[in-house]
Each structure stands twice: as C-alpha cells, then as structure tokens.
Amino acid sequence: MDLFLSIGLDAVSYVLTLLLVTLGLVIIYGMMNVINMAHGELFLLGAYTVVALQAVGAPFWVGFVAAPLVVGICGLLIEQIVIRHVYGRSIDTILATWGLSIAIKQVIIILFGPAAISIANPVPGSVSIAGVDYPAYRLVIMAVAALLAVATYLVVYRTSIGLQIRAVISNRGMAGSLGVNTRLMDRATFAVGAALAGIAGAVMAPIMSVDPQMGVGFLIPAFLAVLVGGLNSLLGAVVGASTIGGATSILSSVMAQASAQIGVFLLAILIIRLFPQGLWKETR
Amino acid sequence: MMIEISGLKAGYIKGSHVLQGLSMAIDKGQSVALMGRNGMGKTTLMRSIVGHLQASAGTIRFDGADITNRPPYRIARAGIGYVPQGRDIFHDFTVEENLRMGLLGKPGLGTQVPAWAYEMFPILEERRSQRAGTMSGGQQQQLAIMRALLGKPQLLILDEPSEGIQPSIVHDIGTALRRYADTQGLTVLLVEQNLDLVSLLAHHALFMENGTIVERVDDISRLHDDPDLINRYLTV
C-alpha cells in the first residue's frame, strides 16, 4: 500500500512537471504552428538560471523567481531573431529550432562546463502522508506545477486576453481583421510558453542532475504527450502529459529505466495508431 | 474620399496578377456595390484592401492615409470592418464571445456588448450563449456583420453576404444595414450578385472584369431597367 502511494505521488509530480513543458509546446504550436525543437533547452536555461544564481550565493528562491523572467526574455529574443523569419515554413522551423537547441547547449557548456551540477534542496526533510514519508520538496513541485497549469487554463479560457489568443489560434486572418494585434500575441505567447518551460527547469533542478543534456529528457516525453493528447488543446496536453508521465513513472518503478522507456514508446505508438487525432478531441 | 485605390496590382502567384492596375474610389457615406462574374477578382480586391493579400504595385488610401500592405490589425484599427465571404465566425465560440471579439481588438471600446447590437439583430441576444457554429447561415451572417459593426468602422466591407441565405432573411439584413448606414454615416463596399440586396443597399455599382473596373453605374435603378448591363457583366 505504502509503495503504491509513493509511486502514485511520484507519478503525479512527474506528470505535473511534464505538463508545464507540454503546455508551452502546445500553446506555441497552436498559436504559431511552430514546432519548437529548442523547447527542451528553454527548460535547460531555467535550470541553469538557478545554477548561476546559486554560484553567486543567492538562495534558491531567487533563482526560482528569476528563471521564468530570464527564459521569458530569451523566448522573446528567439522569436524576434529566429522564429519570425520562418513562420509558415514548418520544415525550416524544425531545422532552425533544432540548430538553436544545439547552440544553446554549447553556450551552456562554454559557460558552465559539461559536467553535472547539483543544486541544494531548498526544502529538505519529508512529510508524512498517510503513513508514507514523502520528500517535502516534491510536494512543493506539485503545488507549483498544479497552480501554474490552472492559472494557464484560466487565462486562456476565462479572460479577454485568452479569448483573443484562442481567436488567433482559430483564425489568424480574421482575428487580425477585427483589430487583434497578432504580432504582439505571437511574441507574448512565445515568451509565456518559454517562461513555463523555464519555471519547470528551475523547479526540477534540485531533484535532477543539472547537465547540458537534461533538456532532451523532457522534450521527448513532452512531444509524445502532445501527440498522444492531441494538438491545439490545453486539455489534450493534460491528458497527454498524464498518460505519458504516468506510464513513465509507473513502468520505471517496476522495471529497468531502458525497458520502461521502450514500454512508454510502445504505448505512445499504440495510442497514435488507434487515435491519430489524439485522445482528447476538442469538443468546444 | 473614404477610400481611394490607384493602380493596384495583386495576385496569388508571383508575377501573375489577378488585379491588373485597378483604380476606384468611394466617397464618405456612400454605399457601392462591386459586381462581376466569378473569377474577375472581386474577393482578391477585398483581401488586398484588408491586408490579407500583399499588393505588388499601386496604393490604397483610406481617409487620406496610405494603408497599402499594412498588417490587417492596423487596417482594422484605422476603421475598416470586414465581413468575409464564408463569414469566418469563430465556430467554437459562443455568439457573445464572437461579438466581444469585435470589441477587444479595438482600444477604447470596452469589453461588454452594447445593447444596440442586440436591438438591431434580436436573434443574437436570444442565442447569445449558444455556440456560433450551430446557428443557421442567416444567423451566422448577422453575427459576422454585427461583429464587424461593433468595432465602429467607418467603412464596412461585405463579401457576398447573401450567399446561401434565404431571400427573406437577406432582405431583413439589407434593411437593417441600410438604416444603420444612414444614421451612422457608414460607408459600405459590397460585393454581391444578388440584385435585390444591391438595390436595397447600394447607391452606385461598379462592374469588374479581368482585374479592373470597367463600368460605373451611378443610378442603381438602371440595374433593373437595363438588362443589357446585366447580360454584359453578370450572366455566364
């Protein structure tokens, strides 16, 4: 029983963090039809923002607040320098953002070296949940991720800005002809999507080994989550992240890491074969 | 002049123009019908005016300002409302959300749908929380027109508003629009094949052929009295 509970909690915390990365991907894809291969490196930049601030003696929470700002600004620059030149050319976008991801990784290696760096756990100790001792910091991660996911949902579905974002996603030309500044919307969504990945990187840094390759570890499951859940929908991202994240955590608790990965890929292939549009079809 | 177009060239394939140096102008407060057979470039002209299609030569001036090749949102904010062919309402949004989209993009218009919108087209109030995509063609057309009017345009562009809509509804829409245009001093550019709607709404007619304006009819009643005109430019 205790084992199930702790596996369950692990799964929930992984799913929620994966959701933050996936939400950014889905928003950016839905809005601009840009498949951002550098999204994992935005996660990486969030983690290294924490590393950089720890190196100058700042407490973890300073890095946690700074990460979305730093990565959001990086997102703005990336949109301005690279993405806006390749709008509407999906293959070029993949190549350009892939190149960008390599460049970001190399810059990180130049600045911080290739070795893994560890971040001190800001909330040490554990909390007892129904008799199971669970690391307190993992609960913080869950709370942060859940709050951000709910906030993103509320902004997109319950505010005037969100209505305009959905209008641009649904019909860019018409939204423009109603006066919506589509250029501003592109920039803002890209920055917010980047910032979400940045927070995810920062919040995960203390429980992962921070190294220049860590972005890929989140990019691939996030892409699988998008494919499994269905494009163009935030709820699809939730379904996809739950499926992929949940399967990954549960399988890795009962078998070796490599076998678990194979299992998750097989599951994803099966789902995509049976539900080519994704598990969640937008109904409204 | 509300809008003045000169020497406009535009098309979909590089080097090949649908609009071949088109010039036209509309006075403030006038309603003009643009007529012609399919494939003559009417919709291409509309799309060029609202910025969905880039012009390769020529200028479009709106209320004195050059708006050629500006992004669509700037053209909309300058005061051009657009009701495209096929309406392009947001199917997944409610009727009210569609109407709010007419306001949100324009600074200073607030976020709440004013009462006059529902007074002009009462069906929209009845259906306000219904998904727009579930409404009939005529209702969707009223929604698309109202969404454009809520943005307080000086010039309203309508592309084939009667397409696929029952004649009685077309007549109602035309009457309501005529009244609105008269009281608000709205300028209207209407692409239309339906002669009833044209004679209800327009003061003048322009005929288009092969990417240019070939004839101007100042007295709209000539459309009914002069079958030769219709034969020449409209019948296939």
Side-chain angles (χ1 to χ4, degrees), chain A residues 57-91:
Chain A
F60 170 80
W61 298 107
V62 174
F64 172 77
V65 174
L69 298 176
V70 169
V71 181
I73 291 167
C74 289
L76 273 182
L77 292 174
I78 291 170
E79 202 276 345
Q80 186 69 20
I81 297 167
V82 181
I83 307 288
R84 78 186 166 107
H85 299 289
V86 287
Y87 277 135
R89 289 148 52 188
S90 52
I91 300 291

Side-chain angles (χ1 to χ4, degrees), chain A residues 157 159-161 163-164 166-168 170-184 282-284, chain B residues 50 52 72-73 76-77 80-82 84 87-88 90 92-94 97 100-102 104-106 111 131 147-148:
Chain A
Y157 284 96
T159 67
S160 295
I161 296 286
L163 189 64
Q164 294 179 67
R166 286 186 289 139
V168 176
S170 148
N171 187 336
R172 169 171 292 262
M174 197 59 232
S177 282
L178 293 170
V180 176
N181 186 341
T182 47
R183 190 71 199 99
L184 185 70
E282 186 80 316
T283 51
R284 62 156 283 153
Chain B
V50 299
H52 288 189
Y73 77 89
R77 288 182 182 187
I80 298 186
Y82 182 40
R87 306 179 280 267
D88 280 12
F90 301 106
D92 293 339
F93 291 11
T94 64
E97 285 174 329
R100 287 182 60 215
M101 280 309 300
L104 293 177
K106 308 282 181 68
T111 60
R131 272 182 57 191
R147 186 179 61 176

Side-chain angles (χ1 to χ4, degrees), chain B residues 18-154:
Chain B
V18 177
L19 303 179
Q20 323 233 8
L22 180 142
S23 299
M24 64 173 278
I26 306 177
D27 281 332
K28 269 192 184 146
Q30 292 293 301
S31 295
V32 170
L34 182 69
M35 308 184 78
R37 293 188 188 89
N38 286 333
M40 293 301 169
K42 299 179 304 268
T43 293
T44 305
L45 174 58
M46 302 300 110
R47 287 169 49 85
S48 305
I49 295 174
V50 299
H52 288 189
L53 195 64
Q54 296 282 297
S56 54
T59 56
I60 304 172
R61 300 183 76 79
F62 176 71
D63 207 11
D66 188 348
I67 56 160
T68 324
N69 292 343
R70 308 303 303 271
Y73 77 89
R74 285 197 177 272
I75 294 171
R77 288 182 182 187
I80 298 186
Y82 182 40
V83 179
Q85 194 171 20
R87 306 179 280 267
D88 280 12
I89 58 159
F90 301 106
H91 287 253
D92 293 339
F93 291 11
T94 64
V95 169
E96 190 173 8
E97 285 174 329
N98 268 278
L99 292 174
R100 287 182 60 215
M101 280 309 300
L103 301 164
L104 293 177
K106 308 282 181 68
L109 290 183
T111 60
Q112 294 309 311
V113 180
W116 65 264
Y118 293 130
E119 280 157 22
M120 184 166 161
F121 292 133
I123 188 73
L124 299 180
E125 177 157 42
E126 214 174 285
R127 302 288 166 93
R128 66 198 288 176
S129 45
Q130 188 176 326
R131 272 182 57 191
T134 62
M135 296 201 300
S136 73
Q139 293 164 349
Q140 290 186 13
Q141 191 64 60
Q142 293 177 44
L143 177 59
I145 291 170
M146 186 46 69
R147 186 179 61 176
L149 290 181
L150 282 172
K152 290 281 168 201
Q154 292 173 272

Side-chain angles (χ1 to χ4, degrees), chain A residues 2-123:
Chain A
D2 290 359
L3 181 65
F4 284 125
L5 187 61
S6 90
I7 291 173
L9 286 168
D10 278 348
V12 171
S13 95
Y14 182 61
V15 163
L16 286 170
T17 325
L18 185 58
L19 181 60
L20 287 187
V21 180
T22 311
L23 279 178
L25 266 185
V26 168
I27 294 176
I28 290 171
Y29 179 81
M31 187 82 177
M32 296 169 254
N33 269 314
V34 165
I35 296 173
N36 183 17
M37 300 296 287
H39 204 68
E41 276 57 46
L42 298 173
F43 178 91
L44 181 71
L45 286 174
Y48 273 93
T49 303
V50 174
V51 168
L53 285 165
Q54 179 180 262
V56 297
F60 170 80
W61 298 107
V62 174
F64 172 77
V65 174
L69 298 176
V70 169
V71 181
I73 291 167
C74 289
L76 273 182
L77 292 174
I78 291 170
E79 202 276 345
Q80 186 69 20
I81 297 167
V82 181
I83 307 288
R84 78 186 166 107
H85 299 289
V86 287
Y87 277 135
R89 289 148 52 188
S90 52
I91 300 291
D92 298 5
T93 314
I94 292 173
L95 281 176
T97 54
W98 182 247
L100 191 67
S101 84
I102 295 170
I104 292 174
K105 253 182 275 186
Q106 294 307 314
V107 169
I108 291 289
I109 291 173
I110 292 168
L111 292 176
F112 298 92
I117 300 168
S118 66
I119 297 285
N121 185 340
V123 188

Side-chain angles (χ1 to χ4, degrees), chain B residues 165-219:
Chain B
I165 298 172
Q166 344 169 14
S168 67
I169 306 280
V170 170
H171 191 86
D172 291 348
I173 293 176
T175 312
L177 259 181
R178 180 70 270 148
R179 200 180 311 127
Y180 180 90
D182 287 342
T183 54
Q184 302 293 318
L186 179 73
T187 309
V188 178
L189 173 56
L190 168 75
V191 169
E192 190 51 76
Q193 321 254 20
N194 179 321
L195 288 182
D196 290 335
L197 185 58
V198 167
S199 38
L200 195 61
L201 208 49
H203 301 114
H204 317 293
L206 297 170
F207 287 93
M208 197 167 172
E209 209 162 59
N210 298 324
T212 53
I213 305 292
V214 286
E215 180 146 356
R216 180 185 166 96
V217 173
D218 281 320
D219 179 8

